């Protein structure tokens, strides 16, 4: 697939628009969820027990969504995102802190596996703008308390018992005020694969947290991350071979005091950070720029730019063609 | 705070179950084993895999299986059912507490129950597993003074010569019955009289701990009993219906029971009842409480009675037991099992209650297995309810019914459907069960003509479609085929 439709959707509480999103995406998610057979996935009881134990604030919302969608057992288990099948992605992240602060990231993934939904909501007590995944999960996003977050796959090919990261990101955006709060969540909630999480809040605090199912989170002050974690273990392949190259490119941007935010963002539209679709299975699908201090959000493509805020959020559809 | 009442006598027990709102769930492939208990117990529900009633039974929930799944065992299926969203929602709607009954369960089930906040109203899995061993049972019975057919237990043999030497030492004769510790339906019982017999089953017995018995000409029977704090209550004796080729593909396999008042009168009957009582009391001493099934053997050569084996669970003997004890004796045996697990104190005269169950009408149940060794897709299956046998030997559906209480006369029978159109039929599958008045087997263990008629007529209600080569359905393992 060489093009993707991005829908900008504004819905305060899960309702008709949310239902449509779910119904549109369910056939594909069902196939993915059953990839290794139904019995490979945890039971509904295990799913809700884990949700209640680790993300209790989300549980009533989860139940409301099940009611709204009239979910059966399988759909409910999928939506809990507890021990889902594996999913790997690429991505590059930069926490920019110069004349202003921003979280910039490229999301690299096969286009047919991306929902292309930008959703503004207020499900609990915070307004959230986020790029949706697994319908109610989040790939990257920001809340109106000024916390921005995005994820990179960590590249270690380990699997464990835990949640799909995108639900944990949703949980952080719904419940956390600051980087510190988010780190506490990442320390507490198990995830099923390894990820590098970029965090930036409106006070300019930042962290890159390396999480994995088999070891304690490593909280760093790094501003850059791609698809590997330290220490790099020999014999274990990185998921994407250009992970090191991209990290160098990010570090170069970060080290150069002259690089403006606009210039930094531009770098994300060029190789090696931009991964063209004709030469990569996981090509770059969008560049996201979150500015927690002002609540500005931009989604950027080589030929398009979409600027949004919590107050200015016009619903629209964008057709993006990838080279 | 008021002191909880102590139940004394039947009126108290009736009232207790009528008013008690604790939800009690029977979780199993089908509702058959304790169908009808809801008449006594306000909070009774069934959670089953098979939909026998087309949604027409208000106490039955069938959690929808959204996709193919291969169950490895009945325990696996029970655990799946309990963890399913529809069950969890049901538990929650009913207040989140309650008791679970089932036929088979394991340690995982116990964990699930804990997570659900419900109790399993059965002895712990670990104890059940231990007691399920034919070897442990025999040893416990010996301690209780309950005789088994002449045997040696806890032995091993790696060749026919070793086996014969062991048998000779204990004077068991030439014709031997060899059992491995676990298993049912005659599938782990081997008849060995010579080296050729041995060779046929050697791979199944070598390396196993064995029970070796003298072969006796016998009538096998079953009786369900309940071990309680007030003593052991013994239900009516049943004969076993086993091994008929038109009902089961398994040699010696169980395929039903007859229950009739004339069975084993006098000293033999008294002896069996006292053996069951002694066994129940012994089980209670070991920490086991509640229902169990006692299989007995009557030696047809000398009239001696023996323990065959114990099934420490709700079993295939439960339906006829509950039917007769309630219909003629005013209270189903299973209520006493539940009392043991209901957080209520009770004091009952066990013998007095048991006396109520001495006079009753004859009933029978037939389990109809698929006996054709060919996997086929079912396109039509008989529905659950009351069927009538016509004079010409054909049957006709009379009316829907959710249990056997309204089987009016000898021409009628209640059929509970297990496999339905859309399911696959394969060798050994329990297709459905028939409950009728009267007997299906003669004293000398021949199927009566009416049994042949019913089996043929029910089987004729099924229609099948051959599978094309590309369709390879999931065929349950032996562990799951037996659904009751």
């Amino acid at each position: 697939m060489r093009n993707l439709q991005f829908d900008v959707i504004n819905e305060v509480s899960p309702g008709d628009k949310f239902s449509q999103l779910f119904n549109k995406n369910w056939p594909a998610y069902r196939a993915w969820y059953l990839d290794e057979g139904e019995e490979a996935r945890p039971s509904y009881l295990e799913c809700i027990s884990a949700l209640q134990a680790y993300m209790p604030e989300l549980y009533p919302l989860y139940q409301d969504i099940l009611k709204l969608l009239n979910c059966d057992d399988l759909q409910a288990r999928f939506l809990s995102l507890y021990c889902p099948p594996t999913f790997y992605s690429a991505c590059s992240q930069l926490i920019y802190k110069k004349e202003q602060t921003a979280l910039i990231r490229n999301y690299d993934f096969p286009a047919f596996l991306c929902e292309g939904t930008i959703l503004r909501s207020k499900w609990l007590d915070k307004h959230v703008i986020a790029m949706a995944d697994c319908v109610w999960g989040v790939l990257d996003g920001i809340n109106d308390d000024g916390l921005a977050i995005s994820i990179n796959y960590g590249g270690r090919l380990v699997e464990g018992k835990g949640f799909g990261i995108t639900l944990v990101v949703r949980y952080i955006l719904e419940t956390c005020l600051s980087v510190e709060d988010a780190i506490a969540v990442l320390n507490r909630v198990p995830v099923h694969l390894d990820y590098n999480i970029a965090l930036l809040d409106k006070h300019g605090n930042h962290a890159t947290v390396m999480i994995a199912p088999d070891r304690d989170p490593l909280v760093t002050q790094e501003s850059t991350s791609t698809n590997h974690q330290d220490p790099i273990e020999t014999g274990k392949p990185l998921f994407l071979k250009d992970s090191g190259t991209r990290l160098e490119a990010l570090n170069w941007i970060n080290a150069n005091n002259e690089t403006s935010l606009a210039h930094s963002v531009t770098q994300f539209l060029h190789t090696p950070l931009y991964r063209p679709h004709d030469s990569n299975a996981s090509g770059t699908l969008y560049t996201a720029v979150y500015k927690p201090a002002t609540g500005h959000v931009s989604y950027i493509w080589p030929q398009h730019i979409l600027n949004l805020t919590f107050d200015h959020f016009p619903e629209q559809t964008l057709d993006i063609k990838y080279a | 705070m008021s002191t909880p009442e102590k139940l004394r006598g039947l009126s108290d027990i009736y009232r207790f179950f009528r008013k008690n709102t604790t939800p009690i769930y029977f979780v199993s492939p089908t509702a058959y084993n304790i169908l009808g208990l809801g008449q006594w117990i306000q909070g009774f529900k069934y959670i089953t895999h098979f939909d026998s009633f087309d949604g027409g039974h208000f106490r039955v929930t069938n959690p929808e299986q959204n996709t193919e799944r291969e169950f490895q065992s009945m325990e696996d299926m029970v655990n799946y059912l309990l963890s399913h969203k529809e069950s969890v929602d049901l538990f929650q709607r009913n207040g989140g507490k309650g008791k679970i009954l089932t036929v088979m369960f394991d340690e995982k089930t116990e964990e699930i129950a804990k997570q659900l906040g419900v109790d399993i109203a059965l002895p712990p899995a670990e104890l059940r597993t231990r007691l399920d061993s034919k070897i442990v049972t025999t040893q416990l019975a010996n301690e209780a003074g309950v005789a088994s057919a002449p045997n040696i237990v806890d032995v091993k043999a790696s060749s026919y010569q070793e086996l014969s030497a062991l048998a000779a030492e204990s004077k068991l004769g030439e014709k031997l019955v060899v059992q491995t510790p676990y298993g049912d339906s005659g599938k782990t019982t081997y008849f060995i009289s010579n080296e050729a017999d041995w060779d046929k089953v050697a791979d199944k017995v070598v390396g196993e701990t064995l029970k070796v018995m003298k072969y006796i000409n016998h009538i096998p029977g079953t009786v369900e009993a309940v071990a309680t704090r007030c003593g052991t209550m013994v239900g009516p004796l049943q004969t076993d219906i086993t091994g008929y080729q038109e009902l089961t593909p398994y040699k010696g396999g169980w395929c039903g029971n007859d229950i009739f008042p004339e069975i084993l009168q006098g000293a033999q009957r008294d002896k069996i009842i006292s053996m069951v009582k002694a066994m129940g009391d012994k089980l209670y001493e070991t920490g086991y409480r509640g229902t169990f099934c006692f299989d007995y053997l009557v030696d047809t050569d000398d009239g001696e009675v023996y323990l065959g084996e114990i099934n420490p669970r709700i079993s295939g003997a439960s339906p006829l037991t509950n039917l007769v004890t309630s219909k003629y004796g005013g209270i189903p045996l299973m209520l006493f099992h539940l009392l043991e697990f209901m957080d209520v104190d009770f004091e009952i005269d066990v013998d007095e209650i048991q006396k109520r169950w001495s006079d009753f009408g004859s009933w029978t149940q037939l389990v109809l297995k698929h006996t054709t060794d060919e996997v086929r897709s079912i396109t039509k299956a008989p529905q659950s309810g009351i069927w009538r046998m016509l004079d010409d030997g054909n049957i006709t559906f009379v009316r829907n019914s959710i249990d056997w209480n309204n089987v009016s006369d000898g021409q009628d029978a209640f059929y509970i459907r297990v496999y339905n159109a859309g399911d696959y039929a394969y060798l050994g599958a329990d297709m459905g069960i028939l409950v009728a008045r009267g007997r299906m087997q003669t004293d000398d263990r021949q199927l009566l003509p009416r049994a042949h008629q019913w089996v043929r007529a029910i089987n004729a209600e099924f229609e099948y479609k051959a599978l094309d080569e590309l369709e390879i359905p999931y065929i349950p393992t032996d562990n799951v085929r037996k659904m009751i």
Side-chain angles (χ1 to χ4, degrees), chain B residues 128-202:
Chain B
R128 278 170 40 126
T129 308
R130 189 156 61 83
L131 293 176
D132 211 19
S133 154
K134 294 177 179 76
I135 288 162
V136 172
T137 311
T138 308
Q139 288 164 339
L140 273 178
N142 290 344
E143 287 172 33
V146 174
S148 302
N151 68 82
I152 42 174
V153 286
D154 204 5
V155 295
K156 288 191 171 196
S158 57
S159 67
Y160 179 65
Q161 285 67 31
E162 269 183 55
L163 181 73
S164 337
L166 284 168
E169 207 176 300
S170 302
K171 303 193 171 56
L172 301 181
E174 303 276 292
K175 283 178 87 174
L176 301 173
V177 183
V178 176
Q179 288 184 318
T180 49
Y182 297 101
D184 57 20
S185 256
K187 277 183 268 173
T188 51
T189 299
Y190 309 103
F191 299 89
I192 301 177
S193 305
N194 51 50
E195 186 132 24
D197 291 342
W198 167 270
D199 290 342
K200 267 185 262 171
V201 300

Side-chain angles (χ1 to χ4, degrees), chain B residues 38-215:
Chain B
Q39 295 168 61
W40 301 87
I41 306 168
Q42 192 185 151
F44 206 81
K45 307 269 180 210
Y46 302 90
I47 298 175
T48 69
H49 175 71
F50 289 98
D51 171 14
S52 298
F53 298 101
D54 300 310
H57 192 313
F58 72 105
R59 294 184 192 272
V60 175
T61 299
N62 305 114
E64 191 195 348
Q65 200 183 318
N66 311 89
T67 180
E68 295 286 299
R69 178 174 181 126
E70 302 183 7
F71 294 104
Q72 302 304 316
S73 61
M74 272 181 59
E75 291 86 335
D76 189 24
M77 184 186 280
V78 166
N79 293 341
Y80 169 81
L81 289 173
L82 277 172
S83 309
H84 193 284
K85 179 169 187 291
E86 289 178 45
S87 306
V88 174
D89 289 349
L90 179 71
F91 296 134
Q92 205 154 22
R93 275 202 305 281
N94 291 332
K97 297 223 177 317
K99 311 272 177 188
I100 288 171
L101 289 171
T102 179
V103 176
M104 304 299 278
F105 73 96
D106 58 15
E107 275 83 0
K108 174 101 192 277
T109 322
E110 292 175 327
E111 276 172 42
I112 290 170
K114 210 169 154 189
Q115 267 183 312
L116 288 167
V118 298
D119 301 323
I120 298 180
L122 295 160
E126 186 272 331
L127 178 61
R128 278 170 40 126
T129 308
R130 189 156 61 83
L131 293 176
D132 211 19
S133 154
K134 294 177 179 76
I135 288 162
V136 172
T137 311
T138 308
Q139 288 164 339
L140 273 178
N142 290 344
E143 287 172 33
V146 174
S148 302
N151 68 82
I152 42 174
V153 286
D154 204 5
V155 295
K156 288 191 171 196
S158 57
S159 67
Y160 179 65
Q161 285 67 31
E162 269 183 55
L163 181 73
S164 337
L166 284 168
E169 207 176 300
S170 302
K171 303 193 171 56
L172 301 181
E174 303 276 292
K175 283 178 87 174
L176 301 173
V177 183
V178 176
Q179 288 184 318
T180 49
Y182 297 101
D184 57 20
S185 256
K187 277 183 268 173
T188 51
T189 299
Y190 309 103
F191 299 89
I192 301 177
S193 305
N194 51 50
E195 186 132 24
D197 291 342
W198 167 270
D199 290 342
K200 267 185 262 171
V201 300
D203 58 327
K204 298 194 178 91
V205 295
V206 173
E208 287 273 3
T209 306
L210 304 174
K211 178 180 180 184
V212 182
M213 286 169 282
K214 176 185 176 185
Y215 179 87

